Amino acid sequence: MSAQGQTPFPNYTQLPSYLPLPAWHALRIASAALAAGMCLLLYLRPEIGLFLVWKVVMPVMPLVFLLAPGIWRNACPLAALNQTPRLLGFTKGWSQTPLIKEYSYVIGVALCFALISGRKFLFNESGTAAALLIVAALVGAFLGGLIFKGKSGWCSSICPLLPVQRLYGQTPSLLVANSHCQPCVGCTKNCYDFNPSVAYLADQYDDDRHYTGYRRFFAASFPGFILAFYLVPNPPEVSIAAMYLQFAFYMAISIATFNVLDTFAKTKANT
């Protein structure tokens, strides 16, 4: 019987990795090289690069987050660069300050909303801007790993993909063991890499209502944000300010709907 069959909520030490560690290292090198190549393509041949990024890569990622987020978290180029200082032994390994620990997820949510909405007037049309966005993310991930211990400097804190990953990947079809953190250094509360099956539930039942509130705010506002992304006209058809006002309207309706259902219909927020 597999580890998944033996334990209802196996942690990463009890999950299958499917590949030996050297193979994961090779995949990370390849993914980082592909990310660098994509940046170059976006700059030199923006029409091809923009098509590949926004019409091929990005539409596939939510499906990966839903079905097998562990594959992405093991092979992600941002995670690869984030963990390079630790792997090679030159990270400073600092712990997050209480302020950073409190608001890192909030920063990730803000970055997620800002970058996705920025596609409508900048990143969808400018190969250079899209390339600089990827470069900034790669550099930010590396610096986070250089300064902070474990994954607390990027992957499990301010990464703009993290809120979406955790929302989509609550019950993944394929559980893949984290192969970065050997050993775990306890850098993150309710770590998704440590125990992907229960991490999101642990967030929802945490004793700190603000900690839980940040995550429920994202879950409540995200459907409205996605509707706004597809329904709100792109600049210059409307001004950027008007676009963001409409985004705020859709998100407010989404948050209100969530709270009405939560309060009066007594639906479970975690189902």
Side-chain angles (χ1 to χ4, degrees):
M1 184 180 293
S2 68
Q4 294 181 55
Q6 295 172 350
T7 307
F9 303 111
N11 64 49
Y12 83 104
T13 64
Q14 300 167 311
L15 292 173
S17 64
Y18 295 100
L19 293 176
L21 188 58
W24 284 120
H25 287 325
L27 279 176
R28 290 167 194 149
I29 293 171
S31 70
L34 284 172
M38 185 64 71
C39 292
L40 189 61
L41 185 64
L42 283 163
Y43 181 72
L44 297 176
R45 297 292 301 274
E47 67 283 356
I48 298 176
L50 290 169
F51 175 81
L52 289 175
V53 169
W54 304 125
K55 302 297 184 182
V56 179
V57 176
M58 293 306 295
V60 171
M61 288 178 65
L63 187 62
V64 176
F65 297 162
L66 181 67
L67 299 177
I71 292 177
W72 172 254
R73 292 186 68 80
N74 274 319
C76 169
L78 301 175
L81 285 177
N82 178 254
Q83 292 299 290
T84 295
R86 178 185 181 182
L87 181 65
L88 300 182
F90 60 88
T91 179
K92 294 184 179 297
W94 294 350
S95 297
Q96 291 181 329
T97 66
L99 188 64
I100 294 174
K101 188 177 295 185
E102 175 72 20
Y103 291 107
S104 59
Y105 181 85
V106 178
I107 293 171
V109 168
L111 287 173
C112 176
F113 287 149
L115 296 177
I116 294 176
S117 61
R119 287 182 54 186
K120 294 179 72 67
F121 60 88
L122 180 60
F123 300 120
N124 276 358
E125 306 297 330
S126 172
T128 300
L132 289 174
L133 172 63
I134 297 173
V135 169
L138 293 169
V139 172
F142 177 81
L143 291 177
L146 177 65
I147 297 170
F148 294 103
K149 69 179 181 180
K151 287 189 169 184
S152 64
W154 182 267
C155 304
S156 296
S157 59
I158 66 170
C159 176
L161 297 176
L162 177 66
V164 182
Q165 288 179 48
R166 294 191 75 146
L167 187 63
Y168 279 35
Q170 296 178 43
T171 55
S173 300
L174 180 65
L175 293 173
V176 181
N178 162 49
S179 61
H180 280 293
C181 306
Q182 300 184 8
C184 172
V185 293
C187 68
T188 305
K189 188 178 186 179
N190 302 334
C191 178
Y192 190 66
D193 291 302
F194 183 82
N195 199 325
S197 299
V198 298
Y200 199 79
L201 283 174
D203 282 345
Q204 300 307 307
Y205 290 101
D206 195 88
D207 291 336
D208 184 344
R209 66 182 183 88
H210 298 293
Y211 180 91
T212 299
Y214 301 145
R215 286 145 182 85
R216 291 197 174 193
F217 170 83
F218 180 77
S221 60
F222 195 61
F225 178 82
I226 294 301
L227 278 176
F229 180 82
Y230 287 105
L231 298 179
V232 173
N234 293 356
E237 188 174 341
V238 296
S239 69
I240 294 176
M243 183 197 81
Y244 277 114
L245 283 174
Q246 292 183 64
F247 264 90
F249 174 76
Y250 278 90
M251 292 170 69
I253 294 297
S254 184
I255 293 168
T257 302
F258 177 94
N259 282 286
V260 166
L261 290 174
D262 187 45
T263 302
F264 296 102
K266 298 179 175 59
T267 56
K268 293 183 178 180
N270 305 314
T271 57

